[in-house]
Amino acid sequence: MSAKKTKQIAIYGKGGIGKSTTTSNISAALADAGYKVMQFGCDPKADSTNTLRGGEYIPSVLDLLSEKRRVDAHEAIFLGFGGIYCVEAGGPAPGVGCAGRGIITAVELLKQQRIFEELDLDYVIYDVLGDVVCGGFAVPIREGIAEHVFTVSSADFMAIYAANNLFKGIEKYSNSGGALLGGIIANSMNTDFHREIIDDFAARTKTQIVQYVPRSLTVTQAELQGKTTIEAAPDSAQADVYRALAKRIAEHTDSKVPTALNPKELREWSAGWADQLIEIERASERARVAA
Ligand SMILES: Nc1ncnc2c1ncn2[C@@H]1O[C@H](COP(=O)(O)OP(=O)(O)OP(=O)(O)O)[C@@H](O)[C@H]1O
Ligand SMILES: [Mg+2]
């Protein structure tokens, strides 16, 4: 067996912000570049790996465990685009039990059966919910599973709020060997001030932007075909962006403990941006009237 070290990466972010889209494109770009990749969906919806499998859902680890007591981990691993190993942890029925239980159970199953070593993986990428309040969702950052965490955020306040909560979690678990922050993947960046807002948040929390990803119709088209942008439109500008992102993540080593903003700092920071945006709007209105 090779002594290759598997790089374990977790991607967090607010609901609907683009985690699964971004994660699947990173996985696809890394697989295209010849790496052995596993994408591990940690969302109870079990839809992380859809665009790696032509839009198809796969049974989750919890689905399989509900059918029989002993599950061979290989039964929960499905091949996707470029030979990517797709796994979905799954979750309980909505409203029943802890939604994080699927992650704990699935990671334990693969660890016990030594799947990570057997498959000789280069990368395992966990696609996790933004909500780290429930212990289960904090598993990848808490227990030394993932080494590097990246968060997907737009310039919207709720996305930044979720990222800041994640940073608090990373700070908290960093003393006990938890994962460290690689940086922010800035999604849906279509105007200069989107960039300015997210740049400012990164500077204030002592982290960095790994990549700016524009909002793009190419992503929508690919998703409607049940594919990643890397698969559906490999020659597009958006695919270039995802390849650049994947390369940065693959080469990234120096993750850090971020400095989360406390509630008062976050309030002052957002109020400052509200004033600036009002001023930008007034200036553009003045320019329009003058023209
Ligand atoms: N850069 C982008 N350009 C265009 N559409 C995008 C982009 N990023 C994400 N989307 C779209 O936004 C929607 C939500 O994305 P996605 O499912 O990846 O989010 P998520 O964070 O995984 O959501 P959830 O929290 O529900 O799992 C999808 O329809 C996706 O195609
Ligand atoms: Mg998702």
Side-chain angles (χ1 to χ4, degrees), residues 15-21 43 45 187 214-216 219 223 238:
I17 201 63
K19 295 177 294 294
S20 301
T21 306
D43 190 315
K45 292 196 302 308
N187 194 27
R215 189 155 188 90
S216 146
V219 175
E223 186 189 36
Q238 191 77 3

Side-chain angles (χ1 to χ4, degrees), residues 207-229:
T207 184
Q208 57 170 345
I209 307 298
V210 194
Q211 182 76 40
Y212 301 99
V213 180
R215 189 155 188 90
S216 146
L217 202 58
T218 317
V219 175
T220 315
Q221 284 164 349
E223 186 189 36
L224 291 171
Q225 292 176 275
K227 292 177 179 168
T228 59
T229 302

Side-chain angles (χ1 to χ4, degrees), residues 219-265:
V219 175
T220 315
Q221 284 164 349
E223 186 189 36
L224 291 171
Q225 292 176 275
K227 292 177 179 168
T228 59
T229 302
I230 295 289
E231 181 180 10
D235 300 326
S236 63
Q238 191 77 3
D240 286 341
V241 171
Y242 286 127
R243 275 189 289 266
L245 169 62
K247 190 165 185 290
R248 291 233 169 99
I249 286 187
E251 289 170 357
H252 176 85
T253 50
D254 61 333
S255 291
K256 298 190 175 74
V257 181
T259 310
L261 300 180
N262 66 36
K264 183 167 174 281
E265 289 167 337

Side-chain angles (χ1 to χ4, degrees), residues 114-148:
R114 304 190 66 79
I115 295 295
F116 298 121
E117 293 88 341
E118 180 195 310
L119 296 179
D120 199 24
L121 299 166
D122 295 295
Y123 298 96
V124 180
I125 313 187
Y126 299 88
D127 172 7
V128 202
L129 293 194
D131 194 342
V132 284
V133 177
C134 165
F137 295 129
V139 166
I141 56 170
R142 192 181 64 195
E143 287 171 0
I145 293 171
E147 303 152 78
H148 307 281

